[in-house]
Amino acid sequence: MKKILPLTHGLRGEIEIPGDKSISHRAIILSSLSNSHVEVSNFLAAADCMSTVKCMKALGAKIRQSGEKLLITGQTLHEPENVLDADNSGTTLRLLMGLLAPQKFLTTFTGDTSLRKRPMARVIQPLTQMGASIVGRNSNKNLPITILPNKKNLRGITYQMPVASAQVKSAILLAGLFAETPTTVIEPAPSRNHTEKMLEAFGVQLEKSGNAIKIFPTNKLIAPDRIFVPCDISSAAYWIVLATVLKNSNIIIRDVGINPTRTGILDVLKNMGAKIELLNERTSGGELSADINVVPSKLRGVEIGGEIIPRLIDEIPILAVAAAFAEGTTIIRDVSELKVKESDRLAAIVDEFNKISPETFTATDDSLIIRGGRKKIFAECKTHSDHRMAMSLSIFGAAAEGVAFDNADCVKISYPNFFDAFR
């Protein structure tokens, strides 16, 4: 069991966080498709991104790693000698399904126990409409999944997404790179747009109109010499919440990506009363970043839902922790997507967070209700082998009366040195 003690003295100074996970995945994939050398710095060398590195190497890319820097030389993709193992990484699996759906060779994917439970039908459906042949294990198209050799080029489609999902959108756009005609994806609400920005940085022609993105096929990617990966706002969110609710705190987090499709957590926390200041804003490779200063503040409950949810879906567990320290009730609607993450996060939040703050958290089919300001106690909890649950429990315990939980190693998926800040 991992034990986190209360941080009674507050959180002060500079907090170092890792590179952005979403951007790291996409930098690896697109750099591997170019015919030149690309240096990727501040790469997140965590388990999920290393799954993408492993798979791209198996497909022919030449990738050399030195700490948080990668040197990638793209090659023509070829059939892997073995099954591709995405481990726990849904991003690796879904993006590579899009990339490999148009290819002339066979690919089979597998993953760990958690990933094999996650449904892939919503990715397979649009790829099949484009002409791909993909076989899954059952009606939910669970792993293992085999992509059969594509005898004809994919056809471009216009696809109206039923649910906003950056991973599904990205899979369709990557498949569209190799289609005969342009492909258009229409989202019900904007999701994170790192794929679009990275594609444009590699010279791919895109057209955007409202929530519609059209991609034009290309035979050649023009790679930048260098890509700097900003620090991950999802990782920063844990420390932003802790400094907000913990007395005597004052922190700076540098080089944090503030892409508007990812800053829902900042918007909501500010609306709750958090004192968050963005300093030294700048742009690199089309991605905005800034230094973030946070001091303690008094929070109030809010109601959110709709279009903001795709902008903070990964931060909902830590946002729920913040809401537990707020005055009044917070209602987070339209979060059924939480049920198909690394764990059923909607159920896990209710089951585990209530052990620390009893009778605070309840859920409906697609909403989370948090009644703030209630008593906090020391508790033993379960992570459900979910990295975001483990890190949120840590922050909850540090701001309250402490916590102990199992499987602390699951944080290696996205934030390998997370616990260093507690030493």
Side-chain angles (χ1 to χ4, degrees):
M1 297 286 283
K2 179 74 175 180
K3 190 173 184 179
I4 301 294
L5 300 175
L7 285 180
T8 54
H9 55 280
L11 187 68
R12 305 185 69 83
E14 289 195 13
I15 303 291
E16 292 186 6
I17 61 171
D20 188 280
K21 185 158 76 82
S22 296
I23 297 174
S24 292
H25 281 295
R26 289 154 174 81
I28 298 160
I29 292 170
L30 291 184
S31 297
S32 297
L33 299 179
S34 72
N35 58 1
S36 59
H37 302 293
V38 182
E39 181 183 281
V40 180
S41 58
N42 203 39
F43 161 76
L44 173 61
D48 268 14
C49 296
M50 293 310 297
S51 295
T52 297
V53 168
K54 177 181 63 176
C55 289
M56 292 312 299
K57 283 183 175 180
L59 291 163
K62 294 182 179 179
I63 304 175
R64 290 193 290 115
Q65 181 183 1
S66 176
E68 296 174 350
K69 185 177 292 185
L70 297 180
L71 182 62
I72 303 174
T73 305
Q75 304 287 322
T76 301
L77 299 180
H78 62 62
E79 183 170 314
E81 294 181 359
N82 295 300
V83 172
L84 294 183
D85 190 350
D87 300 305
N88 186 255
S89 179
T91 305
T92 301
L93 175 61
R94 293 186 174 112
L95 268 59
L96 291 190
M97 286 172 64
L99 176 66
L100 298 176
Q103 306 305 323
K104 308 300 182 185
F105 52 78
L106 182 142
T107 310
T108 297
F109 285 99
T110 190
D112 69 3
T113 302
S114 172
L115 192 59
R116 287 197 295 271
K117 294 178 181 177
R118 298 173 72 175
M120 294 299 146
R122 62 180 179 167
V123 186
I124 293 174
Q125 181 180 2
L127 297 178
T128 301
Q129 288 183 26
M130 297 176 76
S133 298
I134 305 174
V135 180
R137 180 161 53 88
N138 50 33
S139 60
N140 287 326
K141 306 300 184 185
N142 294 112
L143 290 172
I145 285 170
T146 295
I147 301 175
L148 301 176
N150 191 11
K151 297 179 180 179
K152 298 181 180 180
N153 290 335
L154 296 188
R155 54 186 173 268
I157 62 171
T158 296
Y159 187 71
Q160 181 82 50
M161 295 182 60
V163 177
S165 167
Q167 293 181 1
V168 177
K169 173 181 65 175
S170 297
I172 300 168
L173 293 176
L174 289 171
L177 274 177
F178 302 92
E180 289 185 334
T181 54
T183 293
T184 300
V185 182
I186 305 171
E187 298 186 278
S191 63
R192 59 184 65 179
N193 63 359
H194 300 303
T195 298
E196 297 96 298
K197 287 186 172 294
M198 189 74 70
L199 284 166
E200 289 179 321
F202 278 75
V204 177
Q205 183 183 354
L206 300 177
E207 287 183 0
K208 302 167 191 173
S209 178
N211 289 344
I213 307 105
K214 178 185 283 189
I215 185 167
F216 292 82
T218 183
N219 294 321
K220 183 180 180 181
L221 296 185
I222 303 170
D225 293 334
R226 293 178 178 82
I227 297 172
F228 174 78
V229 179
C231 295
D232 198 323
I233 193 167
S234 295
S235 298
Y238 301 104
W239 309 114
I240 291 170
V241 167
L242 184 57
T244 295
V245 302
L246 198 61
K247 293 180 180 179
N248 303 315
S249 295
N250 189 336
I251 63 168
I252 289 277
I253 313 173
R254 301 203 182 277
D255 298 318
V256 181
I258 54 167
N259 182 311
T261 64
R262 296 283 300 280
T263 53
I265 183 67
L266 300 184
D267 296 342
V268 173
L269 287 173
K270 287 180 178 179
N271 193 30
M272 295 174 75
K275 298 174 183 176
I276 300 170
E277 186 178 8
L278 302 183
L279 309 170
N280 191 24
E281 295 187 37
R282 60 263 191 201
T283 302
S284 176
E287 292 283 358
L288 287 171
S289 63
D291 303 331
I292 300 179
N293 177 225
V294 189
V295 296
S297 51
K298 191 174 183 178
L299 300 181
R300 56 184 174 271
V302 295
E303 292 190 27
I304 62 170
E307 290 194 358
I308 199 169
I309 298 302
R311 298 176 54 221
L312 50 63
I313 190 68
D314 286 339
E315 291 77 60
I316 287 174
I318 192 60
L319 179 59
V321 172
F325 289 90
E327 287 187 358
T329 298
T330 293
I331 301 175
I332 308 175
R333 306 186 192 279
D334 306 314
V335 292
S336 58
E337 177 78 4
L338 291 178
K339 297 176 182 178
V340 292
K341 292 293 186 177
E342 285 84 340
S343 67
D344 179 345
R345 285 184 185 155
L346 194 57
I349 287 170
V350 173
D351 291 344
E352 306 307 326
F353 289 7
N354 271 330
K355 294 174 183 176
I356 297 174
S357 185
E359 300 181 354
T360 295
F361 303 86
T362 56
T364 66
D365 187 55
D366 71 343
S367 297
L368 182 64
I369 302 99
I370 305 106
R371 295 171 178 84
R374 301 198 174 192
K375 183 179 179 181
K376 316 295 191 296
I377 60 175
F378 175 85
E380 292 188 358
C381 300
K382 295 179 181 178
T383 65
H384 298 261
S385 298
D386 186 330
H387 57 130
R388 301 206 185 279
M389 284 296 298
M391 290 185 282
S392 298
L393 285 167
S394 298
I395 299 302
F396 207 167
E401 300 299 322
V403 67
F405 51 82
D406 64 342
N407 195 12
D409 283 347
C410 66
V411 304
K412 293 178 181 178
I413 288 170
S414 63
Y415 198 158
N417 63 341
F418 172 78
F419 294 111
D420 290 354
F422 292 99
R423 294 175 182 171

